[in-house]
Amino acid sequence: MTSSLATLVGSDLGIGIGLRTTHYETILEERPAVDFFEILSENYMHTGGRPVRVLDEIAAHYAIVMHGVSMNIGSTDPLDRDYLRQLKALQQRCGARWISDHICWTGVEGKNLHDLLPLPYTKGALRHLIERVRAVQDILEQPLVLENPSTYLQFAGPDYTEPEFLSELATATGCGLLMDVNNVFVCASNHDFDAEGYLRGVPWDHVVYFHLAGHTTYETHRLDTHDGPVCDEVWDLYRIAHELSGGRSTLLEWDADIPDFQAVHDEARKALRHRDPKSTVTDVVAASGSAGAPR
Amino acid sequence: MSAPELRLLQRWFAGVVEHPSTADVALAESAVDALIPEAQVARGEILAPNPRLDAAAMLQIYNGGYLARLVEALQGDYGAVAHVLGADGFQDLVARYLAEFPSRHPNLNRLGRCLPAFIARDDGLPHRAFVAELAELELACARAFDAPEFEPLAVDQFGDVAPEQWMSARFTSNPSLQLLAFEHPVDEFYQPWKEGSPVDVPEPLSSHVAVFRKDERVWRQRFTPSMHAVLSALVGGQPLGEALAAAEEGEPVAEWFQSFAADGLFVSVEFGA
């Protein structure tokens, strides 16, 4: 494997932002001080036009990590080896530090439903997932980083809680974990469990980075929409997660109703205040005045 | 839960998610019920109980998100078609399309590849013939955007090639180039729509458009029938001399060719013996 899990876990890249098309011009023209960008892998696959050229330029100045939505790791369909090869080629092109996706399935019988669908947390599903993660890691030649999903239902008769499932999976495969703190909060609210207790069950020695995002609250449930700022409860959880982990790279996602780059950047930088209670946003601006971390 | 049980669960779940109606209707449908009986779901044997949502309501979150997400994705590629059909008409079209052409690719940018052909035979669609051609133009733009990377041919590097040798030259076009012949003035409708000043659906009138990528942007260029014929012949592999013969006498074919080359429409050239 090209990078060990220890290397990934030990690489605190700082505070990053999800790279979105609407911000391309600002980033290319102003080169804002951002520690790293996370790309949506599929936006740069199966295309040869502007997206890959823009990525080339951004990757020349910033650290990049990859985050995908179509690996379909939990499906009972065969692995899409062509997709995995293209994923690896993209990583080689942009020098991404790691490749992440979600603990979910996205389709079956050859169809892609383009949604992050829940898995039952059973022994059988765990065995299936372990086998698939190992196969993917053999192809990618590196630890795969997998994110805890937002879910809107749970299957009856589970053998594990979600943190237990993550621990078993990570221990058996050596994979990395992407801890989405907003997803923890959304799921805790939807499924009536204690979010802080969840975090205390996370295998932190496998957690490579954090995700933060906004969500939408309905009368009956919360939906992971990434369409607004991070809510106070999620910041509180992030502070706890930061303490439990000892510090990890942190990434803000904003995918709908996306404001201008500065607003997204300002929201992301709030993470520094929660990582270090003595810090203020003003201090952060001064501290991060250099260009992004070089590759 | 064994792998076969997981597969059954996923097939059932997918059947509910992609059902064109709602989750409660899907659960009762025979094809879905045959995988996991609705009664078993009702008894709480499949999904864990939730004090705020019953099983159908939880599944509806996924069912409702499926169509909304794919409508939004297709609207990105087919905005002009959506404008003509209206929001409800476009959503209905997408639902019919997905029933026949569900996504089978990891990338959403491939989802709409069959939509123009589907529209062309979608009985009852308003302005069907025009909308099918409009969809074809929008698909061409999407394909040009995503076409593989290429390096345009710099024709001026062949300054020492004799004029008669040029007549035998065969060109390879860049992978983004698409030549479209329509029975409606499609681009004359599309351009005002793109500029925010949409016009009425036009009456039939023959038109020709080239779509290609240049400097990482997608361009549309309206052609006369002669220009279309000449470029089609070149793209089809005919030598330059024969291709230019497709033009009417007196037409400025040399200027056309220079324009094609300047737009980077070719990536390589081979000279005949």
Side-chain angles (χ1 to χ4, degrees), chain B residues 113-180:
Chain B
R113 291 290 165 101
C114 299
L115 190 61
F118 179 81
I119 290 172
R121 55 181 174 74
D122 190 32
D123 288 338
L125 194 76
H127 312 291
R128 184 179 62 171
F130 170 72
V131 173
E133 291 190 338
L134 183 59
E136 206 179 325
L137 178 66
E138 295 199 281
L139 175 60
C141 292
R143 293 178 81 114
F145 182 85
D146 287 326
E149 293 174 283
F150 61 88
E151 201 57 50
L153 180 70
V155 177
D156 54 9
Q157 70 179 289
F158 298 99
D160 56 345
V161 175
E164 59 273 20
Q165 262 187 294
W166 276 111
M167 291 302 104
S168 67
R170 294 175 193 269
F171 294 86
T172 302
S173 60
N174 90 45
S176 74
L177 176 62
Q178 294 152 93
L179 298 173
L180 306 169

Side-chain angles (χ1 to χ4, degrees), chain B residues 9-141:
Chain B
L9 186 72
Q10 291 183 339
R11 289 175 60 207
W12 169 79
F13 202 108
V16 175
V17 170
E18 66 179 344
H19 195 279
S21 182
T22 51
D24 56 342
V25 173
L27 285 169
E29 187 137 313
S30 57
V32 175
D33 186 74
L35 294 169
I36 295 179
E38 186 184 14
Q40 209 177 333
V41 180
R43 288 196 298 271
E45 294 173 15
I46 305 301
L47 304 180
N50 178 320
R52 296 170 297 279
L53 296 163
D54 64 17
M58 287 189 278
L59 289 164
Q60 182 56 36
I61 296 170
Y62 293 95
N63 172 285
Y66 171 71
L67 185 59
R69 187 176 308 107
L70 299 191
V71 166
E72 185 182 356
L74 286 175
Q75 191 150 7
D77 283 343
Y78 292 100
V81 168
H83 165 76
V84 173
L85 299 180
D88 291 345
F90 187 70
Q91 178 163 320
D92 291 347
L93 169 70
V94 173
R96 292 194 299 278
Y97 174 68
L98 291 175
E100 195 168 329
F101 294 98
S103 177
R104 294 187 179 277
H105 195 273
N107 206 317
L108 270 172
N109 67 8
R110 300 295 173 94
L111 177 63
R113 291 290 165 101
C114 299
L115 190 61
F118 179 81
I119 290 172
R121 55 181 174 74
D122 190 32
D123 288 338
L125 194 76
H127 312 291
R128 184 179 62 171
F130 170 72
V131 173
E133 291 190 338
L134 183 59
E136 206 179 325
L137 178 66
E138 295 199 281
L139 175 60
C141 292

Side-chain angles (χ1 to χ4, degrees), chain A residues 125-159:
Chain A
L126 178 65
R127 275 195 303 273
H128 175 70
L129 198 56
I130 287 170
E131 191 180 313
R132 306 257 295 186
V133 171
R134 284 175 176 158
V136 168
Q137 293 184 147
D138 284 347
I139 293 169
L140 297 179
E141 300 181 287
Q142 62 196 289
L144 176 62
V145 181
L146 287 169
E147 176 181 344
N148 57 305
S150 269
T151 56
Y152 312 108
L153 57 79
Q154 290 182 306
F155 292 98
D159 295 317

